[in-house]
Amino acid sequence: MGRRRGGWAVAWAGLTWFDAPERDRVGWADSARAGGAEEAAASGLVLRGGEIHRHLGEGMDDRARLFEILVARSFRRGDFVLASGKRSSTYLDCRLTTLDPEGMTLVGRILYERYRALFQDAGRPGVLAVAGPSIGADPITVSVCHEAWRRGESLFGLLVRKEAKAHGTGRQVEGADNVPAGSRVLLVEDVVTSGGSSVRSVVALQEAGYEVAQALCLVDRGAGGGERFAEAGVPFEAIYAFEEFLKL
């Protein structure tokens, strides 16, 4: 399971992201996408000096605040082809949230806290690494590992390619030198639809010698992904159901 740092780690555990200067906590360019100002106003964000500002906190819990950012940054209506190959009139580009400074902070915090609840708090053996399919899960992997380190626990990151490289180390799973074979791994994802790409990552990790102990994603579109994980023998949870966005 993750290794804990000693001594000075306690001081770090007492710090929060609120201690950062305001310029580091906020700063959304309203030009991120068309209609950003209107959507910001609709979601309760404040447009100030060409930037969208909202402090963490202010009576809103982390899950509600991250949902607000996902709506403003990532939710789209139009004509889209999903990873499953099916067409959809709605789309979530979670990368616009997971690559946002406040968004990535909340993602790391929420998923790490859920990991703690599912493992340490429930008495389950922990994991040594966090992994996910590139490129959508890469910032999530990093955010969770960073949050773990901030709280005194060392979790390594693994990036799972669609296929092994044809050059260099020729690996499909990057970061494997840090994580011994046989280690337990937490799989993270942004959006799960049919679960095809996620389960391919599970297989790649298993072939690299790892045990995928749990899968966590931000949004479950409810299109069969949960069933695919069940068939693979991997417990699965999502922070949000896609239906929550369709109610907007």
Side-chain angles (χ1 to χ4, degrees):
M1 63 185 292
R3 297 174 300 180
R4 299 194 62 83
R5 306 194 308 277
W8 53 270
V10 176
W12 272 105
L15 294 177
T16 71
W17 199 57
F18 300 103
D19 297 314
E22 178 179 350
R23 66 179 181 275
D24 296 331
R25 295 199 307 265
V26 296
W28 290 19
D30 65 328
S31 59
R33 64 188 179 105
E38 290 79 7
E39 288 162 348
S43 63
L45 299 170
V46 179
L47 189 65
R48 181 191 309 150
E51 294 181 337
I52 302 171
H53 290 262
R54 179 78 177 258
H55 290 273
L56 284 170
E58 298 184 356
M60 182 177 294
D61 65 25
D62 287 347
R63 187 184 184 279
R65 173 58 181 150
L66 181 58
F67 182 77
E68 186 179 67
I69 298 175
L70 283 164
V71 170
R73 286 289 199 201
S74 300
F75 187 60
R76 303 280 196 276
R77 292 188 183 274
D79 184 24
F80 307 96
V81 178
L82 304 178
S84 63
K86 296 181 179 179
R87 304 197 75 87
S88 175
S89 61
T90 55
Y91 182 66
L92 267 172
D93 186 355
C94 285
R95 289 164 295 193
L96 293 172
T97 294
T98 60
L99 292 171
D100 169 272
E102 183 182 0
M104 68 175 64
T105 300
L106 288 168
V107 166
R109 189 153 70 208
I110 290 170
L111 290 185
Y112 178 74
E113 288 176 354
R114 190 61 195 142
Y115 156 70
R116 287 292 302 267
L118 287 169
F119 286 83
Q120 281 95 330
D121 296 349
R124 292 171 63 189
V127 303
L128 184 62
V130 181
S134 291
I135 62 174
D138 291 352
I140 301 176
T141 297
V142 172
S143 296
V144 175
C145 291
H146 178 269
E147 180 66 17
W149 176 258
R150 191 185 72 79
R151 298 195 190 196
E153 182 175 2
S154 293
L155 295 179
F156 292 95
L158 297 170
L159 309 182
V160 185
R161 298 176 179 271
K162 289 184 178 179
E163 56 187 20
K165 292 194 302 181
H167 58 281
T169 60
R171 288 177 173 166
Q172 185 174 2
V173 179
E174 298 292 354
D177 284 349
N178 291 333
V179 185
S183 299
R184 291 162 56 82
V185 173
L186 171 69
L187 183 80
V188 294
E189 261 277 32
D190 52 1
V191 179
V192 169
T193 305
S194 66
S197 61
S198 303
V199 172
R200 284 193 292 272
S201 294
V202 170
V203 172
L205 288 163
Q206 291 172 338
E207 290 179 347
Y210 301 119
E211 176 189 350
V212 181
Q214 176 77 44
L216 287 177
C217 80
L218 290 179
V219 182
D220 178 15
R221 288 189 70 108
E227 290 79 2
R228 292 288 296 275
F229 277 113
E231 292 170 1
V234 177
F236 169 71
E237 276 198 16
I239 304 302
Y240 306 98
F242 193 65
E243 286 78 7
E244 296 178 63
F245 295 87
L246 298 179
K247 295 176 183 178
L248 298 172

